[in-house]
Amino acid sequence: MTVRWIRATLAGVTALALSLTGCGAGDESTAGTGGTVTVFAAASLTETFTKLGRDYEAAHPGTRVVLNFAGSSALATQITQGAPADVFAAASPATMKTVTDAGDAAGAPAVLVRNQLVIAVPEGNPDRVGGLADLARPGAKVALCAEQVPCGAAARTALDAAGVRLTPATLEQDVKGALAKVKLGEVDAALVYRTDVRAAAGLAAVEFPESARAVNDYPIVVLKHAGNPDGARAFVDHVRSDAGLAVLTAAGFQAPPR
């Protein structure tokens, strides 16, 4: 089976097809769940949803999962402008609210997981960054997400809680963009999610206490105009199952309150 991984921008969708194979995700019913399931998901879900989509396809023969990853605010805009999608998984309730307020959700969203910020630095932490205050040192170059993006809003909350003022070297449209600036050596550090640093090679995570003030809930919902509503519901059930949650928590996400 094939999972298509697509990174999106407000201007449109850029397709990148990846050929993936995987093992089954457990004993799930295959009734009424064939066809294509198109999932719009926050960029920070890239690694986990790619695996979950692969597992879902293996457990549901005849199904194809198409994954569209980008900043949640960009995805919400695309959905409200009529982009065809079956499922939306956002990195914050605020970006999900854009979709629900527009009447594009089929039912109430459910919190899938939670995520928390860390400071991403090069492996070995050469600048000895120990907390948010160090990001405001003279000459420090820091990448943040733009404030309309969930990781940017969370970063602003954490910086305000710490009383830290800084001028970022760059504002990125999703968390992967901010992380890439550190990997490329273009900045000294970035405020990103714990899960993104864990999935990246050559980087280290610096924890800081103010991140507890900026924990993001990740809601998921079946969309009102889903072309494959049965498949959409089955996919949401799959990622919210015990097996799905195990994949997410192994990547560093936190289980939601039950």
Side-chain angles (χ1 to χ4, degrees):
M1 300 297 175
T2 301
V3 175
R4 291 185 179 176
W5 171 24
I6 306 174
R7 293 294 305 274
T9 65
L10 286 172
V13 177
T14 301
L16 294 174
L18 296 180
S19 178
L20 299 170
T21 58
C23 57
D27 295 328
E28 298 182 40
S29 170
T30 60
T33 58
T36 298
V37 181
T38 302
V39 180
F40 279 29
S44 49
L45 291 166
T46 298
E47 292 80 13
T48 49
F49 266 44
T50 296
K51 174 172 172 47
L52 289 166
R54 198 166 54 210
D55 292 346
Y56 180 84
E57 286 185 336
H60 299 81
T63 297
R64 181 179 60 171
V65 178
V66 174
L67 296 168
N68 181 16
F69 296 113
S72 295
S73 57
L75 295 175
T77 298
Q78 290 173 18
I79 290 166
T80 59
Q81 290 180 348
D86 299 307
V87 175
F88 181 38
S92 73
T95 45
M96 178 60 76
K97 190 172 186 294
T98 299
V99 171
T100 57
D101 283 356
D104 288 323
V111 176
L112 177 61
V113 286
R114 313 180 94 183
N115 211 350
Q116 202 158 338
L117 294 177
V118 297
I119 304 169
V121 297
E123 200 166 40
N125 194 4
D127 293 324
R128 299 186 182 279
V129 173
L132 291 179
D134 293 332
L135 301 183
R137 292 186 301 210
K141 293 184 291 185
V142 180
L144 300 179
C145 295
E147 287 194 33
Q148 70 269 24
V149 180
C151 63
R156 175 50 51 204
T157 298
L159 289 165
D160 288 347
V164 172
R165 299 289 180 267
L166 61 84
T167 300
T170 180
L171 290 171
E172 299 297 318
Q173 292 305 308
D174 63 49
V175 70
K176 297 299 187 186
L179 194 72
K181 295 296 184 179
V182 186
K183 294 176 71 174
L184 293 170
E186 296 179 11
V187 299
D188 305 311
L191 281 175
V192 299
Y193 296 121
R194 180 182 294 154
T195 53
D196 293 290
V197 179
R198 185 176 293 193
L203 299 180
V206 177
E207 302 278 350
F208 57 94
E210 295 85 0
S211 67
R213 303 277 294 274
V215 176
N216 273 11
D217 287 343
Y218 281 53
I220 189 169
V221 74
V222 173
L223 294 170
K224 182 177 181 180
H225 302 294
N228 184 0
D230 289 340
R233 285 188 289 269
F235 182 82
V236 171
D237 288 345
H238 171 71
V239 299
R240 296 188 67 207
S241 69
D242 289 344
L245 187 60
V247 170
L248 291 156
T249 55
F253 288 97
Q254 302 167 28
R258 295 293 187 182

